[in-house]
Amino acid sequence: MQKTIITTAIIAAITSSSVHASDTTEDVAQLQQQVTALSSLVANINKNTVHVSGFASGAFGIANNDAGYAGYTTDGSYHEDSLFGVQATFKPSKQFEAAIQLVAKGELDWAPKVTSAYIGYTFDNALKLRAGKLRLPLFMLSDYLDLGYAQPWARSPEEVYGRVPITSFTGIDANYEIELDDSYINLQAFTGNEEMSDESSAGGAGSVEDIVGLVTSWYDDYWTVRASYTVATVKDVNFSKMLIDTNQDGIPDTTISILPDIDSESGSYASFGIRYEDENWLVMGEATQTRVDGYFSDSNAGYVTLGYHLNQVMPYVSLARLETVDNEERESLTGMHKITSQSLTYQRNAYSIGTRWDIQPGLAMKFDVTYATKFGDTDGGLTTGNGEDSTTVFTVKVDATF
């Protein structure tokens, strides 16, 4: 009986080992197949579906006074126009793509921020939908706001590009391109929301909600004509606070907001731009109109740039204008608010002359001198109470892509 039990146990053990060995062989084979497939996928991803690129700008600027144009003063700065950015795009198929862009700016202590992060899908009829954090397409160069190499100037005109409190939004957009005989028409619609930090040009923290816009562009090899219109609601904007001495006893005892907080105000932004560029000439201009309810500034702005290509060098001149057009609406403010609201009334002209030198593909050096003047009775939209009627900024900049 004992022999029978032992024999049965041995046979069972041998049989079990045989089955286990068979299972292990199959598992190894499956694992090898999976590794092979994964290796192929990784190799394919590295070569064809993932594209990583970067861009950087290093700049030094200095002004002849402390008016603060583009953030520059007599101390000079390496930070205002210097930045580093990286972008990764994952495109596993012709239809689907995902992308993310991070930018670290010197003026923001090099803290990296996500400027765009989205997934997109292109349908067979050429309609492309994207969702996520997207660039706000207000300007002709909105897609290249931080990519200095793609811009002709050392700095995009402050009068147009420097007055919008947000440059990205979180939402969706739809692009549809129509091919004509020798040109294209692109239609873009978008909607979403975005938070507004006190680092913005508006100077207050809040939110921009219910953003709805439409952009239409026509372009061919030389010409681009573009128009956009956007509406939005600015909500819950709180401005920084300051202590004041209401009793005039030398002891600050009351906290007051530098401007009245905003619960909800609607606004609109319209732009129109034209660009022509051939082997020799660059002619480019944009006009914008901002309208906001309440005491926030309504403004008109625009610029015209003329450049001429001389091999790798392109000298350029540029004229820009900025002015508020609703100054009387801030007359109702009183006390400290009336004083601080003076920063919301401004006007100035800016004249720039500069040169772009393309050292090699992907690397350009730029020199720029900008003279801003015609402030009138305002601070020119610059540092409040600067007391200047003009300012000149000198800039040297290197832009690179890699």
Side-chain angles (χ1 to χ4, degrees), residues 80-126:
E80 300 302 326
D81 289 311
S82 298
L83 57 82
F84 182 87
V86 62
Q87 176 170 312
T89 303
F90 174 57
K91 195 168 185 178
S93 68
K94 186 177 180 180
Q95 289 78 26
F96 175 76
E97 70 172 340
I100 183 170
Q101 183 185 79
L102 291 91
V103 177
K105 295 185 177 181
E107 63 176 333
L108 300 178
D109 295 328
W110 298 101
K113 291 191 174 183
V114 176
T115 55
S116 66
Y118 64 86
I119 57 174
Y121 189 87
T122 303
F123 295 88
D124 293 338
N125 61 0

Side-chain angles (χ1 to χ4, degrees), residues 186-198:
N186 185 273
L187 303 174
Q188 180 183 12
F190 57 94
T191 183
N193 303 317
E194 186 67 359
E195 295 300 313
M196 184 173 67
S197 75
D198 54 8

